[in-house]
Amino acid sequence: MDLVLRARRVLLDGEVRAASVAVAEGVVVEIGPLDSPRLAHVEVELPDEVVLLPGFVDTHVHVDDPGTDWEGFATATAAAAAGGITTLVDMPLDSVPVTTTVAALEAKRRSAQGNCHVDVAFWGGVVPGNVGALAPLADAGVRGFKCFLTDSGNPDFPRLRPGEFRAAMAEVADLGSVLLVHAESHRVIEASPPPRGTDYASFLRSRPDAAEEDAVALVIDAARDTGARVHVVHVSSANVLPALAAAKRAGVSITAETCPHYLAFTAEEVPDGGVEYAACPPIRTAANRDLLWAGLRDGTLDLVVSDHSPCAPDLKGDVDFGAVFGGISSLQVSPRATWTEASARGVGLAELSRWTSERPAALAGFTDRGRIAVGMRADLCAFDPDAEETVHAAALHHRHPVSPYDGVVLRGAVHGTWVAGAAVYARMGQPAGSVP
């Protein structure tokens, strides 16, 4: 064996129990009793307080590389490893060029080559006029496609109008792929008052619940008509949950995600000028947050991913919500932020892993990760669920130290991360032999 991990707490088939996990050539090859006699090049005994989990999978990450100084593959994947994330899927939006052609995808891959601490895959972009590029992108290995129904904020990545959206969805259906949709309605946002000043209520009014309701209705209708598999990204408004639930019951092939910032923060606690909380769609009320949690627990929402959307600090430096870049930097803390709120609501590690490992892996078409089982890739995370730590944004591995989580106490600590059996992160100060 290359590696044997022994732990008194391992998440296996939805239950936490003692086990040893043996790895050869990057794959879990045996799972047995804690004291199973096995020879291995590396043997690790985890502390009693640590649970061995599948590595987290984050399918909504903006690395913004090449072409910007907002984030890079080296920093993003170091942050991911420290957060227990073993696979991330990069969004096609804020790099230069945007990932709407095979040539742009290859530019992404060149930027990533030799700079990644964890596994990285890519979504392709859908913009007006590039439907013919989708099949070549699929052949080149993108995990699926992403589009916007309102302005993305990047003129190189325009929104799809309803007719274009339906045509793109039909093509995605023919390819047997999946279309990820930023589901905010352009017509609703265009008719809403623009944000201005330091008052967060102004930002909320500029992107009302109705924007998500209108867009999700279009997504459901188009998915029903085309038979495409569709995924709604970053649901922030609980008002769309009844429509999503009804569509699922009717057999529409639709899934949906939310993000830790919608599950952790509330509009009521955003301070005047708190532009580090600005996200599109926005963080909404405490009552809305409770309904999102209910939607997760009843299966209307399928998964939780970060939407790590960093930018240069100067774009977050103005306290005017009308001028700020809408995005939250959160990759390294995303699983812990979710666990902090989940555990406070009586949710266990099995549910956490389902939302943050198994279902994101399934969305991106990965059948070899997201669970600990014989034959699965040995993507693993040693996680202390009871530890508490204060986040210091300047100490995170993200390229820029701007985050609404700065100063927040989160539950959980990552002790070690392995990708295909190789150690990619080890917490400093651990007892000898606890991690490689």
Side-chain angles (χ1 to χ4, degrees):
M1 303 297 173
D2 299 318
L3 169 69
V4 172
L5 291 160
R6 302 182 189 276
R8 286 162 183 80
R9 296 198 288 172
V10 182
L11 182 63
L12 297 168
D13 298 323
E15 297 181 353
V16 175
R17 61 180 188 266
S20 60
V21 178
V23 177
E25 297 183 349
V27 175
V28 175
V29 292
E30 292 181 27
I31 298 173
L34 179 65
D35 57 356
S36 294
R38 293 192 179 94
L39 295 176
H41 294 294
V42 178
E43 185 167 330
V44 178
E45 183 170 348
L46 297 178
D48 290 353
E49 68 271 17
V50 168
V51 181
L52 187 65
L53 298 176
F56 301 110
V57 177
D58 195 332
T59 52
H60 197 149
V61 180
H62 296 263
V63 180
D64 309 329
D65 188 11
T68 83
D69 66 350
W70 293 11
E71 187 62 279
F73 285 104
T75 49
T77 59
I85 297 163
T86 50
T87 299
L88 63 84
V89 189
D90 175 62
M91 283 292 174
L93 175 60
D94 285 322
S95 54
V96 182
V98 294
T99 318
T100 54
T101 66
V102 171
L105 175 65
E106 292 308 318
K108 276 273 190 186
R109 286 176 168 155
R110 287 192 297 272
S111 291
Q113 185 67 36
N115 291 314
C116 295
H117 301 268
V118 303
D119 199 21
V120 173
F122 304 94
W123 300 114
V126 187
V127 295
N130 87 321
V131 167
L134 303 191
L137 278 165
D139 291 341
V142 298
R143 310 305 300 190
F145 300 93
K146 166 73 177 295
C147 71
F148 279 72
L149 296 181
T150 190
D151 287 342
S152 71
N154 183 348
D156 293 330
F157 204 102
R159 66 183 174 92
L160 297 181
R161 289 167 173 78
E164 296 166 331
F165 176 62
R166 290 176 182 274
M169 192 175 282
E171 176 69 4
V172 169
D174 287 345
L175 293 172
S177 189
V178 61
L179 182 62
L180 282 62
V181 186
H182 181 124
E184 288 185 287
S185 166
H186 181 73
R187 66 182 180 183
V188 172
I189 291 175
E190 196 172 41
S192 301
R196 57 171 58 90
T198 62
D199 186 3
Y200 183 68
S202 168
F203 188 73
L204 265 182
R205 288 191 296 270
S206 74
R207 307 186 90 92
D209 295 83
E212 289 185 69
E213 294 172 66
D214 188 57
V216 167
L218 172 62
V219 172
I220 292 170
D221 187 55
R224 183 186 296 114
D225 289 347
T226 63
R229 184 161 69 100
V230 66
H231 179 75
V232 180
V233 299
H234 52 42
V235 170
S236 83
S237 173
N239 287 8
V240 306
L241 298 180
L244 289 170
K248 288 185 173 190
R249 290 193 299 270
V252 177
S253 185
I254 189 168
T255 53
E257 72 191 37
T258 192
C259 304
H261 42 278
Y262 303 128
L263 299 171
F265 300 123
T266 67
E268 292 90 341
E269 65 187 292
V270 177
D272 287 348
V275 292
E276 66 273 19
Y277 293 86
C280 299
I283 294 164
R284 302 190 189 275
T285 64
N288 180 85
R289 177 181 64 177
D290 291 342
L291 291 172
L292 290 178
W293 275 106
L296 264 176
R297 300 188 76 169
D298 70 18
T300 303
L301 295 171
D302 299 273
L303 53 104
V304 183
V305 286
S306 70
D307 189 11
H308 175 65
S309 189
C311 63
D314 62 315
L315 297 179
K316 286 287 193 185
D318 193 321
V319 296
D320 182 353
F321 281 102
V324 71
F325 174 83
I328 286 179
S329 180
S330 60
L331 180 61
Q332 186 170 331
V333 301
S334 177
R336 290 188 292 140
T338 306
W339 173 241
T340 299
E341 297 297 323
S343 59
R345 289 167 170 77
V347 174
L349 288 169
E351 290 88 348
L352 176 76
S353 184
R354 192 175 303 118
W355 295 333
T356 58
S357 298
E358 185 173 354
R359 289 179 180 168
L363 172 69
F366 291 113
T367 59
D368 63 346
R369 65 201 74 178
R371 296 181 297 114
I372 301 175
V374 171
M376 300 292 276
R377 206 170 78 153
D379 288 0
L380 305 164
C381 168
F383 186 74
D384 179 353
D386 298 319
E388 289 191 346
E389 297 181 334
T390 300
V391 176
H392 300 287
L396 299 175
H397 292 281
H398 308 153
R399 179 171 286 177
H400 299 300
V402 179
S403 175
Y405 291 98
D406 190 33
V408 174
V409 177
L410 295 181
R411 194 173 185 207
V414 175
H415 283 227
T417 307
W418 294 263
V419 174
V424 296
Y425 172 77
R427 185 178 173 85
M428 293 179 62
Q430 291 307 306
S434 62
V435 291

